[in-house]
Amino acid sequence: MSRIVLKAILGFVMRVLYRPKVEGMERIPATGPVIMAGNHVTFIDSLFLSLVVKRPVYFIGKDEYVTGTGIKGRLMAWFFTSAGMIPVDRDGGHGGVAALMTGRRVLEEGKAFGIYPEGTRSPDGRLYRGRTGIARLALMTGAPVIPFAMIGTDKVQPGGKGVPRIAPVTIRFGEALDFSRYDGMDRDRYVLRAVTDEVMSEVMELSGQEYVDMYATKARAAA
């Protein structure tokens, strides 16, 4: 119910203020497990994704977003969980494994799971090398991958901080990617890299971003 209320209110506001252009919505399966993999340019990407897609989309978020105290903490927890966020402690030594297993559970329940293969927001608007967790999920579950691109959300919230601005936004979905040809090869690192690179190539085509063959975390640290 909370998801319906949030989507109704924020969806209306978003349509009035931003009038997002959505392309390829028909490519998203109405039912069944599906991985939605895209670029990540600002904090509110997940919110836009959840509001434009007709079916619920679940994604991983930092547990600190839902552990606050007081009225503000409870409101934040309600907002993020209603938007589809599943809190996971990603800072611990097993954070990556916890995120992977959470995604697997969501997909095995027949739901849609959103993921940003870059692992973090782009530090400069370019598209960075994908991490192979997306490939592991696809091969472990057999779920199709729908690549998507967020275009313009970085203008709405530059740097991922501050009050959102009014700017045109386009959300573009690509054709489903089927990796069943690699069934049983989810431990082969060459296969995992090939699958990940294929997903990132599709995201690059959809977004029009310049591609950088480096992890975004390293680029951010260097900056």
Side-chain angles (χ1 to χ4, degrees), residues 2-211:
S2 59
R3 175 185 291 272
I4 295 174
V5 172
L6 181 67
K7 192 165 185 175
I9 297 173
L10 286 186
F12 174 76
V13 173
M14 181 190 70
R15 287 191 297 272
V16 171
L17 295 180
Y18 297 101
R19 302 193 179 196
K21 181 180 180 182
V22 182
E23 301 175 3
M25 180 73 77
E26 72 282 357
R27 294 167 174 165
I28 302 174
T31 59
V34 61
I35 301 170
M36 308 189 70
N39 60 334
H40 196 15
V41 292
T42 193
F43 177 77
I44 59 174
D45 289 332
S46 297
L47 181 58
F48 269 93
L49 181 66
S50 295
L51 291 175
V52 302
V53 176
K54 295 178 181 178
R55 61 185 293 190
V57 180
Y58 298 87
F59 54 92
I60 298 297
K62 295 180 181 179
D63 60 350
E64 64 189 57
Y65 293 146
V66 299
T67 55
T69 58
I71 295 177
K72 181 180 178 181
R74 289 196 294 272
L75 284 174
M76 286 184 63
W78 174 82
F79 176 83
F80 284 110
T81 54
S82 297
M85 193 197 86
I86 302 173
V88 170
D89 180 6
R90 298 185 301 176
D91 295 328
H94 300 286
V97 175
L100 185 67
M101 292 300 100
T102 300
R104 182 176 184 175
R105 174 177 57 80
V106 169
L107 292 167
E108 288 178 343
E109 292 174 354
K111 300 175 181 176
F113 183 70
I115 185 172
Y116 303 110
E118 292 169 278
T120 187
R121 295 193 300 272
S122 170
D124 55 16
R126 296 184 293 176
L127 185 69
Y128 284 81
R129 196 177 198 222
R131 296 188 176 275
T132 57
I134 173 67
R136 291 182 186 277
L137 272 180
L139 300 188
M140 285 192 302
T141 64
V145 178
I146 299 290
F148 69 88
M150 291 288 176
I151 303 170
T153 52
D154 55 332
K155 302 297 188 300
V156 173
Q157 196 178 38
K161 298 179 180 179
V163 178
R165 305 173 181 177
I166 305 300
V169 172
T170 297
I171 302 156
R172 189 173 291 151
F173 298 99
E175 296 283 356
L177 302 176
D178 176 16
F179 296 107
S180 58
R181 62 189 182 278
Y182 296 123
D183 186 39
M185 303 176 72
D186 59 284
R187 294 184 180 275
D188 187 314
R189 64 189 182 97
Y190 296 105
V191 169
L192 294 176
R193 174 46 55 192
V195 169
T196 303
D197 287 347
E198 184 175 339
V199 172
M200 297 310 291
S201 177
E202 291 296 321
V203 173
M204 180 182 67
E205 289 294 323
L206 292 167
S207 68
Q209 290 170 283
E210 177 186 349
Y211 180 75

